[in-house]
Amino acid sequence: MADTRVTFLLDNWYWIAAALVSGGALMWPMLKGGDADAIGVTQAVQLINREKAVVIDVCTKDEYAAGHVANSRNVPLADLESSKNLPTNKALPLVVVCATGTRASRAIGTLTKLGHQRVHVLSGGLAAWREANLPVEKSA
């Protein structure tokens, strides 16, 4: 009986290795600490619709004017700590957006330090929002 198990393992070692490698690849984001605060477009829309999440766009004023998530608030990353444009209710979920998600990821630490409890980055940023054909506004 044990002999057939060993034979099976030896005959199928490449499948076992492939399973271990793919399992490791799936586990890697959790092991390295992944971007646990990143959410996809669908999750962002659900937070906005169901929990009245506020979308904070951390792009510059010029980038924001060129196109932004509909009904979002522009709080440039450089002005985040001193801004009066953030919600006073710290329990309200925030969805932080920038062009690609890079600046938004940096904004999480600042917003958490300011006391906001539920801060999420829109994975892929405004580019992902546009790709999902969701409403984008321009301002003067």
Side-chain angles (χ1 to χ4, degrees):
M1 178 90 158
D3 191 30
T4 57
R5 284 187 227 152
V6 172
T7 304
F8 175 80
L9 292 174
L10 291 175
D11 289 344
N12 296 293
W13 68 269
Y14 44 87
W15 292 112
I16 295 166
L20 291 173
V21 168
S22 66
L26 291 171
M27 294 293 289
W28 181 252
M30 285 193 302
L31 295 174
K32 75 172 184 122
D35 200 355
D37 298 322
I39 60 173
V41 174
T42 303
Q43 291 170 300
V45 170
Q46 288 174 347
L47 274 175
I48 293 164
N49 291 337
R50 293 181 183 164
E51 300 185 44
K52 307 281 190 257
V54 177
V55 180
I56 305 294
D57 190 316
V58 294
C59 291
T60 64
K61 292 183 189 298
D62 291 338
E63 290 172 312
Y64 183 80
H68 55 271
V69 173
N71 300 316
S72 63
R73 297 182 187 184
N74 183 224
V75 183
L77 184 60
D79 303 336
L80 206 54
E81 288 192 55
S82 61
S83 178
K84 303 285 185 229
N85 203 15
L86 294 172
T88 54
N89 180 354
K90 307 285 185 177
L92 203 59
L94 301 180
V95 177
V96 186
V97 181
C98 67
T100 61
T102 307
R103 283 176 283 183
S105 294
R106 290 192 313 219
I108 283 188
T110 303
L111 290 165
T112 303
K113 186 174 80 174
L114 292 172
H116 293 278
Q117 300 164 8
R118 300 176 60 202
V119 184
H120 307 280
V121 172
L122 180 62
S123 183
L126 185 62
W129 188 267
R130 285 179 194 240
E131 190 174 304
N133 292 319
L134 291 167
V136 175
E137 297 176 336
K138 294 183 179 184
S139 54

